[in-house]
Amino acid sequence: QQFNVTSYDAAAMAVIIFQAFSGMWINAFIVSVICNAWVKKKTLNSNEKILVLLGCSRFSYLCISWIYSLLAIIYPVYLHVHPIRQLAEGAKSFFNCSNLWVSACLCVFYCIKIASFRNSFFIYLKVKIDRMVPWLLLGSVLFSLVIGILAFNIGDKLQCNNSTGQGRLWKVKFQMDEQFFPIYFFTGFGYATAFMAVIFSALLLLFSLWRHKHNMQTNSMKDLSLDAHIKAMKSILSFFVMYSINCISLIVAMIYTAEGQNPVMFLTHVCLYAFPGVHSLLLIFSNPRLEKTLLRILSFVKCK
């Protein structure tokens, strides 16, 4: 059986490959800088733990996507060999879900660390958040693993259906829609939960910023924590906008899964592959150590 790649597919994949390759280098930079600091000081704080896991999951997701798209252009027949495609889809689902959940954990961590409320439960979270971070990351990985296993199993069933369903495309598509229901449910639940965590974190931090600024104006005093509030608010709001676009793209991608390649799928994949790189770039410029290291590297390259 021949598998032809049209010029439109090749152009779309070329754009995706470029995005994935750029995002890989950005996230590799984050992981390498933090790991280098880890070796020197022998410890990692909670923020660095989240950034390392986030960088690793994004690098792995983009790397697999890059290889997948490259194979689809150069030798697409490999993608129809069992179980290469199933493994790729399962790994992509695992790392993508891990990316979303760890991103949400980072947003919640910033909110709890910076926002100030007198509520006893919030004070308890602020005190215990450093101990809770490893468990939050472990829960994110375990849930992502469930999504990855479901994606692999569904891909495996679809491969069997497609191999025995020649001339009965309508039946194969109907069966595919039925078999997609478990991963639709769990994935949708995971995306909705992570998205709600991001929304509540942004709203809480915004309310904390407003109340803190109001108290300062009332008492006619200055407080350095206002700068921390504003910086965190800018970071979370920019992340919220990108996270919203990413979640909408994921929903559209799930809806159009069975429709094949089309302009809508191309735009959604552009958004999906842009999110890990663009957000990581913003994380670099919001972290003094990462920003300083990046600027030093860029100045060195410029001098060379």
Side-chain angles (χ1 to χ4, degrees), residues 29-48:
F29 169 79
I30 293 176
V31 174
S32 61
V33 171
I34 296 179
C35 288
N36 184 50
W38 185 12
V39 172
K40 291 181 179 179
K41 64 180 184 179
K42 308 297 182 182
T43 184
L44 284 177
N45 58 40
S46 298
N47 180 51
E48 291 171 335

Side-chain angles (χ1 to χ4, degrees), residues 62-75:
L62 292 171
C63 183
I64 293 172
S65 301
W66 179 60
I67 296 173
Y68 187 91
S69 300
L70 200 62
L71 282 177
I73 294 176
I74 298 175
Y75 206 74

